[in-house]
Amino acid sequence: GINVDFETITTECSRAYIEFIRELSIMCRINGIVLSVDNYVPTSSSDHYDRAEQGVVADYVIMMGYDEHYGGGSEAGSVASLDFVKNGIVNTLESVPAQKLINALPFYTRMWDEYVDENGQQVLNSKAYTMRGAFDRVEELGLVTNWSDSVGQYVAEGDVEGHHYSVWLEDARSIEEKMKIVAEYDLAGVSAWSLGGEYPQVWEVITRYNK
């Protein structure tokens, strides 16, 4: 198949973009190729992606259910909390039928590093890790880890040499909480970013819940 992942499309380009998807979908059908299109979690800033029309012409519309908190952002937090994923699915279903909607899972997370620099300025940095890489870093730093029902993840944090570290971890348990939402809304399935970042047990969870 072909997966289209064009991001930060401007409003001025939106009509040409959706026309490209229409014309590509025709050639894909003629040649027996499955076409899927990636989208952000719905916000007013991405309405011009025209998910409704994508849902008509493409085989699948993929909602990238992650980057709730992202590198360069001003606040530390989860990459994909339960409310973020669920609200994104609910809002996308307003324009895309469930049988065409795929939720993309995060096989990564971000560790946040907050500290005060030599000029007295508050600094917030983050680094992306694979699932195992994040847990290894948590152990290395000696952070305290607790399960959070509200976000559906283990959360680890602690202070080390003047730095406050925090991370909302992804693993088989957190993926299962997201898969429950996918099953609740009877979606077409899931995809992920990115392959190789996951624990092997994640596939057992996905297989159990996915169609």
Side-chain angles (χ1 to χ4, degrees), residues 30-86:
I30 291 172
N31 290 279
I33 296 171
V34 175
L35 174 63
S36 60
V37 185
D38 295 346
N39 291 267
Y40 302 116
V41 168
T43 63
S44 59
S45 63
S46 62
D47 284 345
H48 58 281
Y49 278 58
D50 200 347
R51 294 171 182 82
E53 184 64 10
Q54 290 182 35
V56 171
V57 300
D59 295 296
Y60 296 106
V61 175
I62 298 177
M63 185 196 82
M64 298 182 290
Y66 40 73
D67 278 350
E68 177 181 5
H69 296 86
Y70 51 90
S74 60
E75 181 181 15
S78 171
V79 164
S81 68
L82 291 183
D83 283 347
F84 176 79
V85 173
K86 184 169 185 174

Side-chain angles (χ1 to χ4, degrees), residues 5 19 43 58 85 101 124-125 127 154 162 165-166 178 208:
D5 184 9
E19 183 59 29
T43 63
V85 173
L101 180 58
L124 175 64
N125 292 322
K127 181 179 178 180
Y154 287 104
Y165 294 95
S166 57
K178 295 174 180 63
R208 188 160 67 248

Side-chain angles (χ1 to χ4, degrees), residues 82 85 105 147-149 151-153 171-182 205 209:
L82 291 183
V85 173
L105 302 167
W147 177 259
S148 170
D149 286 328
V151 297
Q153 293 171 278
D171 63 354
R173 185 176 178 183
S174 70
I175 293 299
E176 181 166 14
E177 294 303 308
K178 295 174 180 63
M179 289 302 302
K180 290 177 182 177
I181 301 173
V182 171
V205 172
Y209 282 88

Side-chain angles (χ1 to χ4, degrees), residues 6-18 40 45-49:
F6 291 162
E7 302 181 23
T8 63
I9 293 171
T10 64
T11 303
E12 292 75 19
C13 289
S14 59
R15 291 182 62 184
Y17 171 68
I18 199 63
Y40 302 116
S45 63
S46 62
D47 284 345
H48 58 281
Y49 278 58

